[in-house]
Amino acid sequence: EVQLVESGGDLVQPGGSLRLSCAASGISFSGHWMSWVRQAPGKGLEWVANINQDGSDENYVDSVKGRFTISRDNAKNSLYLQMNRLRAEDTAVYYCARDRETLFDYWGQGTLVTVSS
Amino acid sequence: DIVVTQTPLSLSVTPGQPASISCKSSQSLLNSDGKTFFYWYLQKPGQPPQLLIYEVSNRFSGVPDRFSGSGSGTDFTLKISRVEAEDVGVYYCMQSMQLPRTFGQGTKLEIK
């Protein structure tokens, strides 16, 4: 059974940092790109970042470049998103998803990040 | 960035009736290899999105055949032949022709 389980979401002050994790099982984790996609409360979907199989290639949406870093640990079947200099507009549910380089076929349930003072 | 414009933003449909959602992309999504990188997702209430259709018209595993996708280039349509209660949620289209991947605004489908 495919499982992607995100964790690490929390309430954080503007300018603060947070690290999200995604634990994968049942999806041949090391063989696939992975992505983070976010959804602000009551809003649509926004792709945030992706990373290739061995972590040597990363891509980001412009709004998070220089502030967020995606990484992975294939030995632990885990994906991460280090978020620094957080802003109110980063408030969202963050989903990890298996990235087949053109589509997302499996998604986690998401973890909520709230940036507020 | 490629902008994907979805219409309508909401739909109210009687069970058993058809429904149609359209998406228009600001650039062609036809790749040089002949594939078109356009997708449909459904986000049911309280759930993450789930893949319905890939590359315009291919149903993902387990998706009922009442869902069909069509279109080419910049204009695409999702049709539900006979809406059922379990189809409620928000439908999103997405392009993967170039990064960043971008989604339409979403179409909320409700049952009358």
Side-chain angles (χ1 to χ4, degrees):
Chain A
E1 180 192 4
V2 173
Q3 273 203 315
L4 295 170
V5 180
E6 302 92 338
S7 60
D10 205 347
L11 171 62
V12 60
Q13 292 189 341
S17 297
L18 209 55
R19 189 194 196 206
L20 306 184
S21 299
C22 171
S25 59
I27 63 162
S28 182
F29 180 78
S30 62
H32 296 281
W33 286 71
M34 294 294 294
S35 270
W36 288 98
V37 179
R38 67 184 178 183
Q39 186 170 36
K43 301 297 184 182
L45 300 167
E46 180 183 37
W47 172 80
V48 174
N50 68 357
I51 187 168
N52 71 342
Q53 290 89 333
D54 65 4
S56 62
D57 191 10
E58 306 162 24
N59 299 285
Y60 300 89
V61 68
D62 282 351
S63 59
V64 309
K65 279 180 184 174
R67 300 188 300 121
F68 289 13
T69 302
I70 190 171
S71 63
R72 65 192 297 161
D73 184 336
N74 287 339
K76 295 182 178 179
N77 284 346
S78 292
L79 177 72
Y80 306 101
L81 186 67
Q82 177 66 44
M83 303 186 294
N84 298 329
R85 291 185 281 141
L86 282 160
R87 306 167 180 167
E89 54 264 36
D90 296 319
T91 294
V93 173
Y94 285 74
Y95 297 101
C96 69
R98 187 170 78 167
D99 187 334
R100 302 296 295 269
E101 297 186 59
T102 56
L103 61 85
F104 311 117
D105 56 357
Y106 294 107
W107 300 62
Q109 291 296 314
T111 188
L112 176 62
V113 173
T114 303
V115 184
S116 175
S117 54
Chain B
D1 297 358
I2 294 177
V3 176
V4 183
T5 303
Q6 200 169 328
T7 56
L9 299 186
S10 65
L11 269 179
S12 183
V13 183
T14 301
Q17 293 301 302
S20 180
I21 302 169
S22 296
C23 275
K24 187 174 183 66
S25 172
S26 61
Q27 298 178 34
S28 175
L29 303 182
L30 175 63
N31 195 40
S32 56
D33 64 1
K35 294 182 179 180
T36 300
F37 295 128
F38 182 81
Y39 307 83
W40 290 100
Y41 292 85
L42 165 60
Q43 186 173 30
K44 295 184 177 181
Q47 295 186 21
Q50 59 188 76
L51 179 63
L52 290 178
I53 303 284
Y54 64 95
E55 293 170 14
V56 180
S57 59
N58 300 284
R59 281 186 299 275
F60 187 56
S61 175
V63 174
D65 61 6
R66 64 178 180 276
F67 291 93
S68 64
S70 62
S72 62
T74 62
D75 293 277
F76 306 93
T77 302
L78 175 72
K79 292 183 178 177
I80 310 172
S81 58
R82 295 172 305 279
V83 169
E84 297 187 5
E86 66 181 23
D87 300 336
V88 298
V90 181
Y91 291 78
Y92 293 95
C93 54
M94 185 193 80
Q95 67 80 22
S96 285
M97 183 66 181
Q98 64 179 232
L99 291 176
R101 315 261 180 85
T102 47
F103 294 86
Q105 307 95 307
T107 296
K108 186 174 184 178
L109 175 68
E110 65 173 25
I111 300 297
K112 279 184 183 175

